[in-house]
Amino acid sequence: MTKDGKRLACVTLGCKVNEFDTEAMRETFEREGWQSVPFDEKADVYLVNTCTVTSTGDSKSLKMIRRAARTNPQADIIVCGCLAQKDASRVCLPGVRLVIGAARRGEVYELYQRSLVGPGVMIAVNGLKGAAFEKLTVTGHENRTRAVLKIQEGCDRFCTYCVIPYVRGPVRSMPLEDISSEAQRLSDAGYAEIVLTGIHLASYGRESGHTLAQAISASCRPQSVVRVRLGSLEPVTVTDEFLNTAKGLGKLCPQFHLALQSGSAEILKAMRRRYTPGEYEDAVARLRDAFPGCAITTDILTGFPGETEEQALETERFIERIGFARIHVFPYSQREGTPAAGMPGQIREEVKHERAKRLIAIGNRMEAAYVSGLVGTEQQVIFEEREKDGMCGGYTASYVHVLAESMPGEIHTVRITGSEGKTAFGKVTG
Ligand code: SF4
């Protein structure tokens, strides 16, 4: 700790929920007068919010801790997040002063002050059994038009390949009244779009008897909220109540990220995903009925233990049949402590990556087709930042990137006049 310095540098590994947690922790220091500096600059305290969803998440997290210590060997390092929750001793590298896991993030400043009292590393990682929802507040979002609101934490699905339930704990949800007041606060602060996120959004309210549909209604209630976007969902989300509520709201973005993972019934069963390809297809059909032209996006895992070439091709045929607007592809990563890690038929890395490459090519073609399908239509676009040739870039409600003449922060109706790959071009008409 340098004498005069109150400089904090943060880095986040992993998902949008981790990004939200980091911003909340950053703001607890800023409220105490600390100044945020970029992670590659010299700081007095570095905060590394770790991820352990894949082995790459582990190695990148440890690399960032070492990088902080190299940038300023006198600095204190705070390590938090999923790898810290899973194995606190593994992150106790030179320079580390405090380790907290996937809880107590709101106390990070107080815990850091306490860690300065004694020598060595202070480990404040608790078990998550019975943990309550930790309300964290973020006021300054990176993006001036879109604000992320974390309304759910934890997961109890225990898909066989996934380590998240072991490191994020049981399902816990933000109370409905807090969702409305947070949405009001964010839209009063000028955010036109609110993104509802969580570790397993589909489980929102499971422990309190509330539903995701109620949470969405609560977030749409403030007049000033322009639109609400949802994080990752599952076929189990697509109930009558969800569809009837969502349709009636008018502010819900018609973009649904419905994680599929595989198009093979046997592989879905081995993953302990609680739907069949047929049920998934039904959910998509119901969403398209309720929201014609909506964007269905998804996640696919390649190379799950035992996946045959025929099952990989089955997945390719299935996604062709669905016609996604965007696909995120992840090669399976063996995670210690998960049932799949001990399964026979582990697939060679080059085969996983070969299958991923094929899916990515299909995904790029499908995304370009979805974007070109918007040509000739009028879309509401929230403009975010200046881009090339004096054009301004923004996103439609179905999350398509659009370039047109406008200014950051403006919301316009745009007639889509053309597209190139994943980007559409247009003319402001209103
Ligand atoms: S639903 Fe499955 S994949 Fe998603 S976080 Fe929970 S256990 Fe992991």
Side-chain angles (χ1 to χ4, degrees), residues 155 157-159 161-162 164-165 199-200 234 273:
C155 182
R157 310 292 277 180
F158 292 94
C159 301
Y161 54 85
C162 186
I164 294 172
I199 291 294
H200 193 247
E234 284 192 8
R273 299 290 288 172

Side-chain angles (χ1 to χ4, degrees), residues 384-396:
E384 298 185 1
E385 56 191 4
R386 288 220 146 279
E387 298 198 22
K388 57 185 189 263
D389 313 329
M391 298 291 257
C392 197
Y395 288 86
T396 65

Side-chain angles (χ1 to χ4, degrees), residues 6 27-34 109-110:
K6 281 192 168 187
E27 291 190 11
T28 63
F29 275 75
E30 289 175 347
R31 282 195 289 275
E32 302 295 334
W34 286 59
Y109 186 76
E110 290 77 26

Side-chain angles (χ1 to χ4, degrees), residues 4-26:
D4 61 345
K6 281 192 168 187
R7 292 163 299 173
L8 171 76
C10 303
V11 69
T12 303
L13 291 304
C15 62
K16 275 215 172 342
V17 174
N18 247 15
E19 283 169 16
F20 182 91
D21 296 342
T22 300
E23 289 314 306
M25 289 186 274
R26 178 202 304 279

